[in-house]
Amino acid sequence: MMNHGPRIFSYENSFDGLLCAFAAAEGEGLERCGFQSEGSGRPGLWPPTSVPVHAGTAAQFLERLRRAGGEGTVLHVMYVFLAEIRGAEPPLYEFARLTMQTGKIVLGMRTNAAVRRVMDWKSKVGKEAHRMTGLLRFMELQDGTLYARFEPDHNVLPLVTPHFQRRFPHENWVIHDQRRGLAIAWDGKKLHPVVGVPGNVDDLLSRREISFQRLWQEYVQAMAVPERHNPRLQRRFMPSRYWKHLVEQTV
């Protein structure tokens, strides 16, 4: 008998696409299988089964997951998707399938490898999102818009925007994930995706912003105590990969 190899489901690189792929695998009763996002550049030995995106299928799968494991379980699945970790789909599928099979929350099953990995990934994404709410630096542009840029390890842009909607509800602002080429703007009423953010926003800074940055840098230099300079301690509280977007670190 010919060996057709493991089942691999190819899905559109979106949250709905991933849920549809999980629904297709779960509908066939598969305990373990492979998943591959379209355009991921990960060709395998076995041709994948392409799964079309259907909003209704995704919503039904998510609701079944919510009924079985609660909102916390749904958040774990969403956070791991935003983690953008290569090879995360099989453990995440096993986590979702186990939840629906048992009909209860499985987050306490830390001895299960899939559950443990999903919880660890979710924690990393949550920690980075929380860190970014304190590290993002907004700059005033010439038209009065506030602009912030960052390059997070995970796709935390959807997770940080609600914080700044509450913090700056009456301002016009843009948060730009330069690593992924994604940006979201808030106009004081609703969010909008932004297409074509200028590459060099520094040329669009207001005079007040330029003056403020200069004063802030001078203040940081004046307050610094050379004898207490401790880069290792700095990296513990603020990883160096984030420094390039901090005004005080450009001096």
Side-chain angles (χ1 to χ4, degrees):
M1 181 179 296
M2 180 178 295
N3 182 7
H4 295 286
R7 289 296 303 277
I8 300 175
F9 294 89
S10 174
Y11 65 95
E12 177 194 272
N13 190 18
S14 66
F15 189 54
D16 277 3
L18 178 67
L19 295 178
C20 287
F22 283 1
E26 197 263 343
E28 294 187 20
L30 299 177
E31 293 186 8
R32 287 179 174 80
C33 50
F35 298 91
Q36 178 180 308
S37 62
E38 296 175 358
S40 63
R42 293 183 286 171
L45 296 175
W46 312 105
T49 299
S50 181
V51 180
V53 180
H54 189 279
T57 300
Q60 289 173 8
F61 186 88
L62 198 64
E63 182 56 30
R64 288 177 57 205
L65 192 63
R66 181 179 285 108
R67 288 200 304 266
E71 197 64 37
T73 296
V74 171
L75 286 177
H76 274 72
V77 175
M78 293 175 62
Y79 274 51
V80 174
F81 171 75
L82 295 174
E84 297 182 339
I85 296 174
R86 184 170 180 172
E89 298 99 333
L92 187 60
Y93 170 67
E94 185 178 343
F95 168 80
R97 189 171 185 274
L98 181 62
T99 299
M100 291 188 292
Q101 272 190 331
T102 60
K104 63 181 182 180
I105 300 172
V106 299
L107 296 173
M109 299 171 58
R110 293 282 299 189
T111 56
N112 182 286
V115 173
R116 185 169 61 252
R117 294 174 74 182
V118 166
M119 293 180 68
D120 289 345
W121 289 329
K122 192 266 185 185
S123 177
K124 288 181 180 179
V125 174
K127 285 179 180 178
E128 183 171 47
H130 177 72
R131 182 183 289 138
M132 289 298 102
T133 61
L135 290 183
L136 275 184
R137 297 293 192 266
F138 283 88
M139 302 178 287
E140 184 183 64
L141 304 184
Q142 294 168 8
D143 65 357
T145 300
L146 300 179
Y147 170 84
R149 57 192 172 197
F150 66 157
E151 298 177 55
D153 296 333
H154 310 295
N155 184 12
V156 298
L157 182 59
L159 303 179
V160 301
T161 48
H163 170 83
F164 292 104
Q165 283 178 268
R166 295 188 296 269
R167 186 173 179 185
F168 304 126
H170 306 300
E171 303 284 350
N172 290 347
W173 49 255
V174 174
I175 301 178
H176 183 194
D177 181 344
Q178 292 187 319
R179 172 173 291 184
R180 296 165 182 82
L182 302 174
I184 292 181
W186 171 254
D187 63 6
K189 296 180 180 179
K190 57 183 179 179
L191 294 169
H192 306 272
V194 180
V195 179
V197 178
N200 190 4
V201 178
D202 292 337
D203 294 338
L204 304 176
L205 298 180
S206 68
R207 291 184 178 181
R208 183 169 64 174
E209 176 65 28
I210 294 172
S211 176
F212 175 81
Q213 289 191 13
R214 187 179 300 115
L215 288 172
W216 178 238
Q217 291 169 351
E218 291 174 356
Y219 170 79
V220 171
Q221 286 183 314
M223 294 298 293
V225 180
E227 293 78 14
R228 300 186 65 180
H229 184 58
N230 191 339
R232 180 178 296 181
L233 183 63
Q234 278 185 305
R235 286 192 291 269
R236 281 183 55 193
F237 290 98
M238 187 187 304
S240 57
R241 62 184 179 276
Y242 301 134
W243 290 6
K244 65 181 290 186
H245 298 302
L246 301 179
V247 174
E248 61 268 31
Q249 292 291 346
T250 60
V251 294

